[in-house]
């Protein structure tokens, strides 16, 4: 086991300082996160818990995706803290919440949630843990362009596609 020491802030901390990030920075961060996910998926490794606290932004703006683990618990309600459960549910794919088998497409859904979060300053769905779990499975999230008027014309449909309820409707990789 080798661990890299990386200084920086979590994505949650970065967004909390600024309310939301500029589209150009979101695109840069998203590209780096997607590259990390692609490398992991090529090794047949799925993150299953991609949340803003698991994305580190180094001082030079390099992104590090933290905490890839094999055999991560699939139950979204497995954490002891109600706040941690609620925070994680806000970035979980519908299939994970249902307890179905979740593969790389679940990570792509989480990436869509992260993009939404970076662009708007909030996750796609808010409420209690039970409300978020229900919304993740059954409600269509708002379009980023309805919340952020300066969202790039091509970025809004990409976020919407990543947030499709059916994994087959999400991007291939």
């Amino acid at each position: 086991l080798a661990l890299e020491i990386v200084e920086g802030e979590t994505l949650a901390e970065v967004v909390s300082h600024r309310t939301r990030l500029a589209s150009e920075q979101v695109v840069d961060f998203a590209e780096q996160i997607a590259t990390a996910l692609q490398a992991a998926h090529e090794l047949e490794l799925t993150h299953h818990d991609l949340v803003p606290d698991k994305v580190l932004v180094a001082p030079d703006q390099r992104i590090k995706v933290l905490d890839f683990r094999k055999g991560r618990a699939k139950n979204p309600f497995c954490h002891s803290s109600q706040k941690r459960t609620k925070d994680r549910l806000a970035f979980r794919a519908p299939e994970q919440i249902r307890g179905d088998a979740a593969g790389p497409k679940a990570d792509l859904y989480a990436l869509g949630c992260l993009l939404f979060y970076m662009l708007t300053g909030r996750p796609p769905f808010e409420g209690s843990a039970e409300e978020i779990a229900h919304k993740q499975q059954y409600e269509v999230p708002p379009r980023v362009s309805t919340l952020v008027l300066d969202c790039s014309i091509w970025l809004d449909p990409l976020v919407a596609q990543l947030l499709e309820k059916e994994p087959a409707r999400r991007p291939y990789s």
Side-chain angles (χ1 to χ4, degrees):
L1 176 67
L3 299 175
E4 179 182 8
I5 297 174
V6 182
E7 293 192 29
E9 295 182 293
T10 66
L11 184 59
E13 293 168 329
V14 171
V15 172
S16 74
H17 297 317
R18 303 182 196 160
T19 309
R20 66 183 186 92
L21 304 181
S23 292
E24 298 80 23
Q25 188 167 37
V26 171
V27 170
D28 178 43
F29 287 178
E31 183 179 1
Q32 292 182 63
I33 296 166
T35 299
L37 291 175
Q38 184 68 29
H41 294 165
E42 287 172 1
L43 296 172
E44 298 182 5
L45 192 62
T46 306
H47 196 286
H48 292 295
D49 193 29
L50 188 61
V51 296
D53 286 334
K54 303 269 176 106
V55 177
L56 188 71
V57 182
D60 64 0
Q61 301 300 290
R62 283 183 305 123
I63 293 289
K64 298 287 184 173
V65 178
L66 310 175
D67 202 19
F68 278 96
R69 290 187 273 168
K70 286 194 174 212
R72 183 185 309 278
K74 292 181 178 146
N75 180 351
F77 300 98
C78 67
H79 301 286
S80 58
S81 161
Q82 182 68 16
K83 180 173 177 359
R84 284 185 58 191
T85 297
K86 181 178 151 184
D87 291 347
R88 280 170 167 58
L89 281 172
F91 296 88
R92 291 278 168 100
E95 60 270 26
Q96 287 178 286
I97 293 171
R98 287 190 302 267
D100 297 344
K105 296 273 186 148
D107 285 349
L108 294 179
Y109 187 91
L111 176 61
C113 291
L114 286 175
L115 281 156
F116 191 101
Y117 173 74
M118 289 187 281
L119 289 164
T120 66
R122 69 175 187 85
F125 299 112
E126 298 179 300
S128 69
E130 292 77 17
E131 290 170 331
I132 292 169
H134 181 269
K135 291 174 183 180
Q136 286 287 40
Q137 294 178 80
Y138 304 109
E139 291 185 19
V140 175
R143 295 292 291 248
V144 171
S145 61
T146 64
L147 302 171
V148 179
L149 300 178
D150 63 348
C151 181
S152 299
I153 193 166
W154 62 269
L155 195 51
D156 181 56
L158 173 63
V159 174
Q161 187 180 14
L162 286 165
L163 294 177
E164 283 286 345
K165 300 297 181 199
E166 290 298 318
R169 297 190 65 176
R170 296 179 204 141
Y172 173 72
S173 65

